[in-house]
Coordinates of all heavy atoms in Angstrom, one line a residue:
M680 N 19.7 -100.7 -21.5 CA 18.9 -100.4 -20.3 C 17.4 -100.6 -20.6 O 17.0 -100.1 -21.7 CB 19.2 -99.0 -19.8 CG 18.6 -98.7 -18.5 SD 19.0 -97.1 -17.8 CE 20.8 -97.1 -17.7
S681 N 16.7 -101.2 -19.8 CA 15.3 -101.4 -20.0 C 14.4 -100.1 -19.8 O 14.9 -99.2 -19.2 CB 14.7 -102.5 -19.1 OG 14.6 -102.0 -17.8
T682 N 13.2 -100.2 -20.3 CA 12.3 -99.1 -20.1 C 12.1 -98.8 -18.6 O 12.0 -97.6 -18.2 CB 11.0 -99.4 -20.8 OG1 11.3 -99.7 -22.2 CG2 10.1 -98.2 -20.8
K683 N 11.9 -99.9 -17.8 CA 11.7 -99.7 -16.4 C 12.9 -98.9 -15.8 O 12.7 -98.0 -15.0 CB 11.6 -101.1 -15.7 CG 11.4 -101.0 -14.2 CD 11.4 -102.3 -13.6 CE 11.5 -102.3 -12.1 NZ 11.6 -103.6 -11.4
E684 N 14.1 -99.3 -16.1 CA 15.3 -98.6 -15.6 C 15.3 -97.2 -16.0 O 15.7 -96.3 -15.2 CB 16.6 -99.3 -16.0 CG 16.7 -100.7 -15.3 CD 17.8 -101.5 -15.9 OE1 18.2 -101.2 -17.1 OE2 18.3 -102.4 -15.2
D685 N 15.0 -96.9 -17.2 CA 14.9 -95.5 -17.7 C 13.9 -94.7 -16.9 O 14.1 -93.6 -16.4 CB 14.6 -95.4 -19.1 CG 15.7 -95.9 -20.0 OD1 16.9 -95.9 -19.6 OD2 15.4 -96.3 -21.2
F686 N 12.7 -95.3 -16.7 CA 11.6 -94.6 -16.0 C 12.1 -94.3 -14.5 O 11.9 -93.2 -14.0 CB 10.4 -95.5 -16.0 CG 9.2 -94.9 -15.4 CD1 8.5 -93.9 -16.0 CD2 8.8 -95.3 -14.1 CE1 7.4 -93.3 -15.4 CE2 7.7 -94.7 -13.5 CZ 7.0 -93.7 -14.1
V687 N 12.6 -95.3 -13.9 CA 13.0 -95.2 -12.5 C 14.1 -94.1 -12.3 O 14.1 -93.3 -11.4 CB 13.5 -96.6 -11.9 CG1 14.2 -96.4 -10.6 CG2 12.4 -97.5 -11.8
R688 N 15.1 -94.1 -13.3 CA 16.1 -93.1 -13.2 C 15.6 -91.7 -13.4 O 15.9 -90.8 -12.7 CB 17.2 -93.4 -14.3 CG 18.4 -92.6 -14.2 CD 19.5 -93.1 -15.1 NE 19.1 -93.7 -16.3 CZ 19.1 -93.1 -17.5 NH1 19.6 -91.9 -17.7 NH2 18.7 -93.8 -18.6
K689 N 14.6 -91.6 -14.3 CA 14.0 -90.3 -14.5 C 13.2 -89.8 -13.3 O 13.2 -88.7 -12.9 CB 13.0 -90.4 -15.7 CG 12.2 -89.2 -16.0 CD 11.3 -89.4 -17.2 CE 10.3 -88.3 -17.4 NZ 9.3 -88.6 -18.4
M690 N 12.5 -90.8 -12.6 CA 11.8 -90.4 -11.4 C 12.7 -90.1 -10.2 O 12.4 -89.1 -9.5 CB 10.8 -91.6 -11.0 CG 9.7 -91.9 -12.0 SD 8.6 -90.5 -12.3 CE 9.2 -89.9 -13.9
H691 N 13.8 -90.7 -10.1 CA 14.8 -90.4 -9.1 C 15.3 -89.0 -9.3 O 15.5 -88.2 -8.4 CB 15.9 -91.4 -9.0 CG 15.5 -92.6 -8.1 ND1 15.4 -92.5 -6.8 CD2 15.3 -93.9 -8.5 CE1 15.1 -93.7 -6.3 NE2 15.0 -94.5 -7.3
A692 N 15.6 -88.6 -10.6 CA 16.0 -87.3 -10.9 C 15.0 -86.2 -10.5 O 15.3 -85.2 -10.0 CB 16.4 -87.2 -12.4
K693 N 13.7 -86.6 -10.8 CA 12.7 -85.6 -10.4 C 12.6 -85.5 -8.9 O 12.4 -84.4 -8.4 CB 11.3 -86.1 -11.0 CG 10.2 -85.1 -10.9 CD 10.5 -83.9 -11.8 CE 9.4 -82.9 -11.7 NZ 9.7 -81.7 -12.4
L694 N 12.7 -86.6 -8.1 CA 12.7 -86.5 -6.7 C 13.8 -85.6 -6.2 O 13.6 -84.8 -5.3 CB 12.9 -87.9 -6.1 CG 11.7 -88.7 -5.8 CD1 12.1 -90.1 -5.3 CD2 10.8 -88.1 -4.8
D695 N 15.0 -85.7 -6.8 CA 16.1 -84.9 -6.4 C 15.8 -83.4 -6.7 O 16.1 -82.5 -5.9 CB 17.4 -85.2 -7.2 CG 18.0 -86.6 -6.8 OD1 17.6 -87.1 -5.7 OD2 18.8 -87.1 -7.5
Q696 N 15.1 -83.1 -7.8 CA 14.7 -81.8 -8.1 C 13.7 -81.2 -7.1 O 13.8 -80.1 -6.6 CB 14.1 -81.7 -9.5 CG 13.7 -80.3 -9.9 CD 12.9 -80.3 -11.3 OE1 13.0 -81.3 -12.0 NE2 12.2 -79.2 -11.6
W697 N 12.7 -82.1 -6.8 CA 11.7 -81.7 -5.8 C 12.4 -81.4 -4.4 O 12.0 -80.4 -3.7 CB 10.7 -82.7 -5.6 CG 9.7 -82.8 -6.7 CD1 9.4 -81.8 -7.6 CD2 9.0 -83.9 -7.1 NE1 8.5 -82.3 -8.5 CE2 8.2 -83.6 -8.2 CE3 8.9 -85.2 -6.6 CZ2 7.3 -84.5 -8.8 CZ3 8.0 -86.1 -7.2 CH2 7.2 -85.7 -8.3
N698 N 13.3 -82.2 -4.0 CA 14.0 -82.0 -2.7 C 14.7 -80.7 -2.7 O 14.7 -80.0 -1.7 CB 15.0 -83.2 -2.5 CG 14.3 -84.4 -2.1 OD1 13.2 -84.4 -1.5 ND2 15.0 -85.6 -2.4
A699 N 15.4 -80.3 -3.8 CA 16.0 -79.0 -3.9 C 15.0 -77.9 -3.8 O 15.2 -76.9 -3.2 CB 16.8 -78.9 -5.2
E700 N 13.9 -78.0 -4.5 CA 12.9 -77.0 -4.5 C 12.3 -76.9 -3.1 O 12.0 -75.8 -2.6 CB 11.8 -77.3 -5.5 CG 12.3 -77.1 -7.0 CD 11.2 -77.5 -8.0 OE1 10.0 -77.3 -7.7 OE2 11.6 -77.8 -9.1
I701 N 12.0 -78.0 -2.4 CA 11.5 -78.0 -1.1 C 12.5 -77.3 -0.1 O 12.1 -76.5 0.7 CB 11.1 -79.4 -0.6 CG1 9.9 -79.9 -1.4 CG2 10.9 -79.4 0.9 CD1 9.6 -81.3 -1.2
D702 N 13.8 -77.6 -0.3 CA 14.8 -76.9 0.5 C 14.8 -75.4 0.3 O 14.9 -74.6 1.3 CB 16.2 -77.5 0.2 CG 16.4 -78.9 0.7 OD1 15.6 -79.4 1.5 OD2 17.4 -79.5 0.2
A703 N 14.6 -75.0 -1.0 CA 14.6 -73.5 -1.3 C 13.3 -72.9 -0.6 O 13.4 -71.8 -0.1 CB 14.6 -73.3 -2.8
L704 N 12.2 -73.6 -0.7 CA 11.0 -73.1 -0.2 C 11.1 -73.0 1.4 O 10.5 -72.1 2.0 CB 9.8 -73.9 -0.6 CG 9.4 -73.8 -2.1 CD1 8.3 -74.9 -2.4 CD2 8.9 -72.4 -2.4
T705 N 11.7 -74.0 2.0 CA 11.9 -74.0 3.4 C 12.7 -72.8 3.8 O 12.4 -72.2 4.9 CB 12.6 -75.3 3.9 OG1 11.8 -76.4 3.5 CG2 12.8 -75.3 5.4
A706 N 13.8 -72.5 3.1 CA 14.6 -71.3 3.4 C 13.7 -70.0 3.3 O 13.9 -69.1 4.2 CB 15.8 -71.2 2.4
K707 N 12.9 -69.9 2.3 CA 12.0 -68.8 2.2 C 11.0 -68.7 3.4 O 10.7 -67.7 3.9 CB 11.2 -68.8 0.9 CG 12.0 -68.5 -0.3 CD 11.1 -68.4 -1.6 CE 11.9 -68.0 -2.8 NZ 11.1 -67.9 -4.0
A708 N 10.5 -69.9 3.7 CA 9.5 -69.9 4.9 C 10.2 -69.5 6.2 O 9.6 -68.8 7.0 CB 9.0 -71.3 5.0
D709 N 11.5 -70.0 6.4 CA 12.2 -69.6 7.6 C 12.5 -68.1 7.6 O 12.6 -67.5 8.7 CB 13.5 -70.4 7.6 CG 13.3 -71.8 7.9 OD1 12.2 -72.2 8.4 OD2 14.2 -72.6 7.7
A710 N 12.6 -67.5 6.5 CA 12.9 -66.0 6.4 C 11.6 -65.2 6.4 O 11.7 -63.9 6.5 CB 13.7 -65.7 5.2
A711 N 10.5 -65.8 6.3 CA 9.2 -65.1 6.3 C 8.9 -64.4 7.6 O 9.4 -64.8 8.7 CB 8.1 -66.0 5.8
E712 N 8.0 -63.5 7.6 CA 7.5 -62.9 8.8 C 6.8 -63.9 9.7 O 6.3 -64.9 9.2 CB 6.5 -61.7 8.5 CG 7.1 -60.6 7.8 CD 6.1 -59.5 7.5 OE1 5.0 -59.5 8.0 OE2 6.5 -58.6 6.7
A713 N 6.8 -63.7 11.0 CA 6.3 -64.7 11.9 C 4.9 -65.2 11.6 O 4.6 -66.4 11.7 CB 6.3 -64.2 13.3
G714 N 4.0 -64.3 11.2 CA 2.6 -64.6 10.9 C 2.5 -65.6 9.7 O 1.7 -66.5 9.7
A715 N 3.3 -65.4 8.7 CA 3.3 -66.2 7.5 C 4.1 -67.5 7.7 O 3.8 -68.5 7.0 CB 3.8 -65.4 6.3
R716 N 5.1 -67.5 8.5 CA 6.0 -68.6 8.7 C 5.2 -69.9 9.0 O 5.5 -70.9 8.5 CB 7.0 -68.3 9.7 CG 8.2 -69.3 9.8 CD 9.2 -68.9 10.8 NE 9.7 -67.5 10.6 CZ 9.9 -66.6 11.6 NH1 9.7 -67.0 12.8 NH2 10.3 -65.4 11.3
A717 N 4.3 -69.8 10.0 CA 3.6 -71.0 10.4 C 2.8 -71.6 9.3 O 2.8 -72.8 9.1 CB 2.7 -70.7 11.6
E718 N 2.1 -70.7 8.5 CA 1.3 -71.2 7.4 C 2.2 -71.8 6.3 O 1.9 -72.9 5.7 CB 0.5 -70.1 6.8 CG -0.4 -70.5 5.6 CD -1.4 -71.6 6.0 OE1 -1.8 -71.6 7.1 OE2 -1.7 -72.4 5.1
Y719 N 3.4 -71.2 6.0 CA 4.3 -71.8 5.0 C 4.8 -73.1 5.5 O 4.9 -74.1 4.7 CB 5.5 -70.8 4.8 CG 5.2 -69.6 4.0 CD1 6.1 -68.5 4.0 CD2 4.0 -69.4 3.3 CE1 5.9 -67.4 3.3 CE2 3.8 -68.3 2.6 CZ 4.7 -67.3 2.6 OH 4.5 -66.1 1.8
H720 N 5.1 -73.3 6.7 CA 5.6 -74.6 7.2 C 4.5 -75.6 7.2 O 4.8 -76.8 6.9 CB 6.2 -74.4 8.6 CG 7.6 -73.9 8.6 ND1 8.7 -74.6 8.2 CD2 8.1 -72.6 8.9 CE1 9.8 -73.8 8.2 NE2 9.4 -72.6 8.7
K721 N 3.3 -75.2 7.4 CA 2.2 -76.2 7.3 C 2.0 -76.7 5.8 O 1.9 -77.9 5.6 CB 0.9 -75.5 7.7 CG -0.3 -76.3 7.7 CD -1.5 -75.6 8.2 CE -2.8 -76.3 8.0 NZ -4.0 -75.5 8.4
Q722 N 2.2 -75.8 4.9 CA 2.1 -76.1 3.5 C 3.3 -77.0 3.1 O 3.1 -77.9 2.3 CB 2.1 -74.8 2.6 CG 0.8 -74.0 2.8 CD 0.9 -72.7 2.1 OE1 1.9 -72.4 1.4 NE2 -0.2 -71.9 2.2
L723 N 4.4 -76.7 3.6 CA 5.6 -77.5 3.3 C 5.5 -78.9 3.9 O 5.9 -79.9 3.2 CB 6.9 -76.8 3.9 CG 7.4 -75.7 3.1 CD1 8.4 -74.9 3.9 CD2 8.0 -76.2 1.8
E724 N 4.9 -79.0 5.0 CA 4.7 -80.4 5.6 C 3.7 -81.2 4.7 O 4.0 -82.4 4.5 CB 4.1 -80.3 7.0 CG 4.2 -81.5 7.8 CD 5.6 -82.0 7.9 OE1 6.6 -81.3 8.1 OE2 5.8 -83.3 7.8
A725 N 2.7 -80.6 4.2 CA 1.8 -81.3 3.2 C 2.5 -81.7 2.0 O 2.4 -82.8 1.4 CB 0.6 -80.4 2.9
L726 N 3.4 -80.8 1.5 CA 4.2 -81.0 0.3 C 5.1 -82.2 0.5 O 5.3 -83.1 -0.3 CB 5.0 -79.8 -0.1 CG 5.9 -79.8 -1.3 CD1 5.1 -80.3 -2.5 CD2 6.5 -78.5 -1.5
R727 N 5.8 -82.2 1.7 CA 6.7 -83.3 2.0 C 6.0 -84.7 2.1 O 6.5 -85.7 1.7 CB 7.4 -83.0 3.3 CG 8.5 -82.0 3.2 CD 9.3 -81.8 4.5 NE 10.1 -80.7 4.5 CZ 9.8 -79.5 5.1 NH1 8.7 -79.4 5.8 NH2 10.6 -78.5 5.0
S728 N 4.8 -84.6 2.6 CA 4.0 -85.8 2.7 C 3.6 -86.4 1.3 O 3.7 -87.6 1.1 CB 2.7 -85.5 3.5 OG 1.8 -86.7 3.5
K729 N 3.3 -85.5 0.4 CA 3.0 -86.0 -1.0 C 4.3 -86.5 -1.6 O 4.2 -87.5 -2.3 CB 2.4 -84.8 -1.8 CG 1.0 -84.4 -1.4 CD 0.5 -83.3 -2.3 CE -0.9 -82.9 -1.8 NZ -1.9 -83.0 -2.9
R730 N 5.4 -85.8 -1.4 CA 6.6 -86.3 -1.9 C 7.0 -87.7 -1.4 O 7.4 -88.6 -2.1 CB 7.8 -85.3 -1.6 CG 9.1 -85.8 -2.2 CD 10.3 -85.4 -1.3 NE 10.1 -85.6 0.1 CZ 10.7 -84.9 1.0 NH1 11.5 -83.9 0.7 NH2 10.5 -85.2 2.3
D731 N 6.8 -87.9 -0.1 CA 7.1 -89.2 0.5 C 6.2 -90.3 0.0 O 6.6 -91.4 -0.2 CB 6.9 -89.1 2.1 CG 8.0 -88.2 2.7 OD1 9.0 -87.9 2.0 OD2 7.9 -87.8 3.9
H732 N 4.9 -89.9 -0.3 CA 4.0 -90.9 -0.9 C 4.5 -91.3 -2.3 O 4.5 -92.5 -2.6 CB 2.6 -90.3 -0.9 CG 1.6 -91.2 -1.6 ND1 1.1 -92.4 -1.1 CD2 1.0 -91.1 -2.9 CE1 0.3 -92.9 -1.9 NE2 0.2 -92.2 -3.0
A733 N 4.9 -90.3 -3.0 CA 5.4 -90.6 -4.4 C 6.7 -91.4 -4.3 O 6.8 -92.4 -5.1 CB 5.7 -89.3 -5.1
R734 N 7.5 -91.2 -3.4 CA 8.8 -92.0 -3.2 C 8.4 -93.4 -2.8 O 9.0 -94.3 -3.3 CB 9.6 -91.4 -2.1 CG 10.9 -92.1 -1.9 CD 11.8 -91.6 -0.7 NE 12.1 -90.2 -1.0 CZ 12.1 -89.3 0.0 NH1 11.8 -89.6 1.3 NH2 12.5 -88.0 -0.2
S735 N 7.4 -93.6 -2.0 CA 6.9 -94.9 -1.7 C 6.4 -95.7 -2.9 O 6.7 -96.9 -3.1 CB 5.8 -94.8 -0.6 OG 5.3 -96.1 -0.3
K736 N 5.6 -95.0 -3.7 CA 5.1 -95.6 -4.9 C 6.3 -96.0 -5.8 O 6.2 -97.1 -6.5 CB 4.2 -94.7 -5.7 CG 2.8 -94.5 -5.0 CD 2.0 -95.7 -5.1 CE 0.6 -95.5 -4.7 NZ -0.1 -96.8 -4.7
L737 N 7.3 -95.2 -5.9 CA 8.4 -95.5 -6.7 C 9.2 -96.7 -6.2 O 9.6 -97.6 -7.0 CB 9.4 -94.3 -6.8 CG 10.6 -94.5 -7.7 CD1 10.3 -94.9 -9.1 CD2 11.5 -93.3 -7.7
S738 N 9.3 -96.8 -4.9 CA 9.9 -98.0 -4.3 C 9.1 -99.3 -4.6 O 9.7 -100.3 -4.9 CB 10.0 -97.8 -2.8 OG 10.9 -96.8 -2.4
E739 N 7.8 -99.2 -4.6 CA 7.0 -100.4 -5.0 C 7.3 -100.7 -6.4 O 7.4 -101.9 -6.8 CB 5.5 -100.0 -4.9 CG 5.0 -99.9 -3.5 CD 3.5 -99.5 -3.4 OE1 2.8 -99.9 -4.4 OE2 3.1 -98.9 -2.5
L740 N 7.4 -99.8 -7.3 CA 7.6 -100.0 -8.7 C 9.0 -100.6 -8.9 O 9.2 -101.6 -9.7 CB 7.5 -98.7 -9.5 CG 7.7 -98.9 -11.0 CD1 6.6 -98.1 -11.7 CD2 9.0 -98.5 -11.5
E741 N 10.0 -100.1 -8.2 CA 11.4 -100.6 -8.3 C 11.5 -102.1 -7.9 O 12.2 -102.8 -8.5 CB 12.3 -99.8 -7.4 CG 12.7 -98.5 -8.0 CD 13.6 -97.7 -7.1 OE1 13.2 -97.4 -5.9 OE2 14.7 -97.4 -7.5
S742 N 10.7 -102.5 -6.9 CA 10.8 -103.9 -6.5 C 9.9 -104.8 -7.3 O 10.0 -106.0 -7.1 CB 10.4 -104.0 -5.0 OG 9.1 -103.6 -4.8
A743 N 9.1 -104.3 -8.2 CA 8.2 -105.1 -9.0 C 9.0 -105.8 -10.1 O 10.0 -105.2 -10.6 CB 7.1 -104.2 -9.6
G744 N 8.6 -106.9 -10.5 CA 9.2 -107.6 -11.6 C 9.0 -106.9 -12.9 O 8.1 -106.0 -13.0
E745 N 9.7 -107.3 -13.9 CA 9.6 -106.7 -15.2 C 8.2 -106.7 -15.8 O 7.8 -105.7 -16.4 CB 10.6 -107.3 -16.2 CG 12.0 -106.8 -16.2 CD 12.2 -105.4 -16.5 OE1 11.5 -104.9 -17.5 OE2 12.9 -104.7 -15.8
G746 N 7.5 -107.8 -15.5 CA 6.1 -107.9 -16.1 C 5.1 -107.0 -15.3 O 4.1 -106.6 -15.9
A747 N 5.3 -106.8 -14.0 CA 4.4 -106.2 -13.2 C 4.6 -104.6 -13.1 O 3.6 -103.9 -12.7 CB 4.4 -106.7 -11.8
W748 N 5.7 -104.2 -13.5 CA 6.0 -102.7 -13.2 C 5.0 -101.9 -14.1 O 4.7 -100.8 -13.6 CB 7.4 -102.4 -13.5 CG 7.8 -102.2 -14.9 CD1 8.2 -103.1 -15.8 CD2 7.9 -100.9 -15.5 NE1 8.5 -102.5 -17.0 CE2 8.3 -101.1 -16.9 CE3 7.6 -99.6 -15.1 CZ2 8.5 -100.1 -17.8 CZ3 7.8 -98.6 -16.1 CH2 8.2 -98.8 -17.4
H749 N 4.6 -102.3 -15.2 CA 3.7 -101.5 -16.0 C 2.3 -101.3 -15.3 O 1.8 -100.2 -15.4 CB 3.4 -102.2 -17.4 CG 4.5 -102.2 -18.3 ND1 4.8 -101.0 -19.0 CD2 5.4 -103.1 -18.7 CE1 5.9 -101.3 -19.8 NE2 6.2 -102.5 -19.6
D750 N 1.9 -102.3 -14.5 CA 0.7 -102.1 -13.7 C 0.8 -101.0 -12.6 O -0.1 -100.3 -12.3 CB 0.3 -103.4 -13.0 CG -0.1 -104.5 -14.0 OD1 -0.5 -104.1 -15.2 OD2 0.1 -105.7 -13.7
L751 N 2.1 -100.8 -12.1 CA 2.3 -99.9 -11.1 C 2.7 -98.5 -11.6 O 2.6 -97.5 -10.9 CB 3.4 -100.4 -10.2 CG 3.2 -101.7 -9.4 CD1 4.4 -102.2 -8.7 CD2 2.1 -101.5 -8.4
K752 N 3.0 -98.4 -12.9 CA 3.5 -97.2 -13.5 C 2.4 -96.1 -13.4 O 2.7 -94.9 -13.1 CB 3.9 -97.4 -14.9 CG 4.5 -96.2 -15.6 CD 4.9 -96.5 -17.0 CE 5.4 -95.3 -17.7 NZ 5.6 -95.5 -19.1
A753 N 1.2 -96.4 -13.6 CA 0.1 -95.4 -13.6 C 0.0 -94.8 -12.2 O -0.2 -93.6 -12.1 CB -1.2 -96.1 -14.0
G754 N 0.1 -95.6 -11.2 CA 0.0 -95.1 -9.8 C 1.2 -94.2 -9.5 O 1.0 -93.1 -8.8
V755 N 2.3 -94.5 -10.0 CA 3.5 -93.6 -9.8 C 3.3 -92.3 -10.5 O 3.5 -91.2 -9.9 CB 4.8 -94.3 -10.3 CG1 6.0 -93.3 -10.3 CG2 5.1 -95.5 -9.4
E756 N 2.8 -92.4 -11.7 CA 2.6 -91.2 -12.5 C 1.5 -90.3 -11.8 O 1.7 -89.0 -11.8 CB 2.2 -91.5 -13.9 CG 3.4 -92.1 -14.7 CD 3.0 -92.6 -16.1 OE1 1.9 -93.0 -16.3 OE2 3.9 -92.6 -16.9
L757 N 0.5 -90.8 -11.3 CA -0.5 -90.0 -10.6 C 0.1 -89.4 -9.3 O -0.2 -88.2 -9.1 CB -1.7 -90.9 -10.1 CG -2.7 -91.3 -11.3 CD1 -3.7 -92.3 -10.7 CD2 -3.4 -90.1 -11.8
A758 N 0.9 -90.1 -8.6 CA 1.5 -89.5 -7.4 C 2.5 -88.4 -7.8 O 2.5 -87.4 -7.2 CB 2.3 -90.6 -6.6
W759 N 3.2 -88.6 -8.9 CA 4.1 -87.6 -9.4 C 3.4 -86.4 -9.8 O 3.9 -85.3 -9.5 CB 4.9 -88.2 -10.6 CG 6.3 -88.4 -10.3 CD1 7.3 -87.7 -10.9 CD2 6.9 -89.2 -9.3 NE1 8.5 -88.2 -10.4 CE2 8.3 -89.1 -9.4 CE3 6.4 -90.1 -8.4 CZ2 9.2 -89.8 -8.6 CZ3 7.2 -90.8 -7.6 CH2 8.6 -90.6 -7.7
E760 N 2.2 -86.5 -10.5 CA 1.5 -85.3 -10.9 C 1.0 -84.5 -9.7 O 1.0 -83.3 -9.6 CB 0.3 -85.7 -11.8 CG -0.4 -84.5 -12.3 CD 0.4 -83.5 -13.0 OE1 1.4 -83.8 -13.8 OE2 0.2 -82.2 -12.8
S761 N 0.6 -85.3 -8.6 CA 0.1 -84.6 -7.4 C 1.3 -83.8 -6.8 O 1.0 -82.7 -6.3 CB -0.4 -85.7 -6.4 OG -0.7 -85.1 -5.2
V762 N 2.4 -84.4 -6.7 CA 3.6 -83.6 -6.1 C 4.0 -82.5 -7.0 O 4.2 -81.4 -6.5 CB 4.8 -84.6 -5.9 CG1 6.0 -83.8 -5.4 CG2 4.4 -85.7 -5.0
S763 N 4.0 -82.7 -8.3 CA 4.3 -81.6 -9.2 C 3.4 -80.4 -9.0 O 3.8 -79.2 -9.0 CB 4.3 -82.0 -10.7 OG 5.3 -82.9 -10.9
E764 N 2.1 -80.7 -8.9 CA 1.1 -79.6 -8.7 C 1.3 -78.9 -7.4 O 1.2 -77.7 -7.3 CB -0.3 -80.2 -8.9 CG -1.4 -79.1 -8.6 CD -1.3 -77.9 -9.6 OE1 -0.9 -78.1 -10.7 OE2 -1.6 -76.8 -9.1
A765 N 1.6 -79.7 -6.4 CA 1.8 -79.1 -5.0 C 3.0 -78.2 -5.0 O 3.0 -77.2 -4.4 CB 1.9 -80.3 -4.0
V766 N 4.1 -78.7 -5.7 CA 5.3 -77.8 -5.8 C 5.0 -76.5 -6.5 O 5.4 -75.4 -6.1 CB 6.5 -78.6 -6.4 CG1 7.7 -77.7 -6.7 CG2 7.0 -79.7 -5.5
R767 N 4.3 -76.6 -7.6 CA 4.0 -75.4 -8.4 C 3.2 -74.5 -7.5 O 3.4 -73.2 -7.5 CB 3.2 -75.8 -9.7 CG 4.1 -76.3 -10.8 CD 3.3 -76.4 -12.1 NE 2.2 -77.3 -12.1 CZ 2.3 -78.6 -12.4 NH1 3.5 -79.1 -12.8 NH2 1.3 -79.4 -12.3
S768 N 2.2 -75.0 -6.9 CA 1.3 -74.2 -6.0 C 2.1 -73.5 -4.9 O 1.9 -72.4 -4.6 CB 0.2 -75.1 -5.5 OG -0.7 -74.4 -4.6
A769 N 2.9 -74.3 -4.2 CA 3.7 -73.8 -3.1 C 4.6 -72.7 -3.6 O 4.8 -71.6 -2.9 CB 4.4 -74.9 -2.4
T770 N 5.3 -72.9 -4.7 CA 6.2 -72.0 -5.3 C 5.5 -70.6 -5.6 O 6.0 -69.6 -5.3 CB 6.9 -72.5 -6.5 OG1 7.6 -73.7 -6.2 CG2 7.8 -71.5 -7.1
A771 N 4.3 -70.7 -6.1 CA 3.5 -69.5 -6.4 C 3.1 -68.8 -5.1 O 3.2 -67.6 -5.1 CB 2.3 -69.9 -7.2
R772 N 2.7 -69.5 -4.1 CA 2.3 -68.9 -2.8 C 3.5 -68.2 -2.1 O 3.3 -67.3 -1.4 CB 1.7 -69.9 -1.9 CG 0.2 -70.1 -2.2 CD -0.5 -71.0 -1.2 NE -0.9 -72.1 -1.9 CZ -0.7 -73.4 -1.6 NH1 0.0 -73.6 -0.5 NH2 -1.1 -74.4 -2.3
F773 N 4.7 -68.8 -2.3 CA 5.9 -68.3 -1.6 C 6.5 -67.1 -2.2 O 7.5 -66.5 -1.7 CB 6.9 -69.4 -1.4 CG 6.5 -70.4 -0.3 CD1 5.3 -71.0 -0.2 CD2 7.5 -70.7 0.6 CE1 5.0 -71.9 0.8 CE2 7.2 -71.7 1.6 CZ 5.9 -72.2 1.7
K774 N 6.0 -66.7 -3.4 CA 6.7 -65.5 -4.1 C 6.4 -64.2 -3.4 O 5.5 -64.0 -2.7 CB 6.2 -65.5 -5.5 CG 6.9 -66.6 -6.3 CD 6.6 -66.4 -7.8 CE 7.4 -67.5 -8.5 NZ 7.3 -67.4 -9.9

């Protein structure tokens, strides 16, 4: 398996993990008091937007040729870090 395939597989696994974490945070938001619920859902929407952007970057990388994927890898990694930070931040706020 090539390095590109390994990287893509790792990123898909991370997306699956984020989806599970977002689902758990959504359940917490739904169970929150009415005053906090709206704010939690607003934060979740921003988190989903970042996740969707990262997914889009991964799709670009997947469709890139073997020679071009290295150029796109940095953009994917930046998007991934942004989502990771947003998930950490949301998880801390929802405790």
Side-chain angles (χ1 to χ4, degrees):
M680 189 177 300
S681 76
T682 305
K683 176 184 171 185
E684 290 169 339
D685 289 338
F686 183 78
V687 167
R688 189 167 32 104
K689 179 181 169 186
M690 295 299 100
H691 276 291
K693 192 66 177 170
L694 270 175
D695 291 343
Q696 179 185 346
W697 288 335
N698 286 332
E700 291 179 27
I701 290 170
D702 289 345
L704 291 172
T705 300
K707 284 184 178 182
D709 290 343
E712 295 179 11
R716 190 177 309 137
E718 181 60 29
Y719 285 166
H720 281 286
K721 182 179 173 184
Q722 292 171 4
L723 283 166
E724 196 56 41
L726 180 55
R727 287 184 191 104
S728 177
K729 287 180 184 237
R730 180 213 44 208
D731 292 345
H732 175 72
R734 184 184 298 142
S735 174
K736 287 290 191 185
L737 180 58
S738 292
E739 288 177 30
L740 185 137
E741 285 179 297
S742 63
E745 277 298 317
W748 84 272
H749 286 286
D750 296 334
L751 298 172
K752 184 180 176 188
V755 170
E756 289 172 335
L757 285 173
W759 247 243
E760 184 54 40
S761 176
V762 177
S763 290
E764 179 56 35
V766 169
R767 282 190 297 269
S768 177
T770 300
R772 277 187 242 129
F773 281 50
K774 285 188 177 185

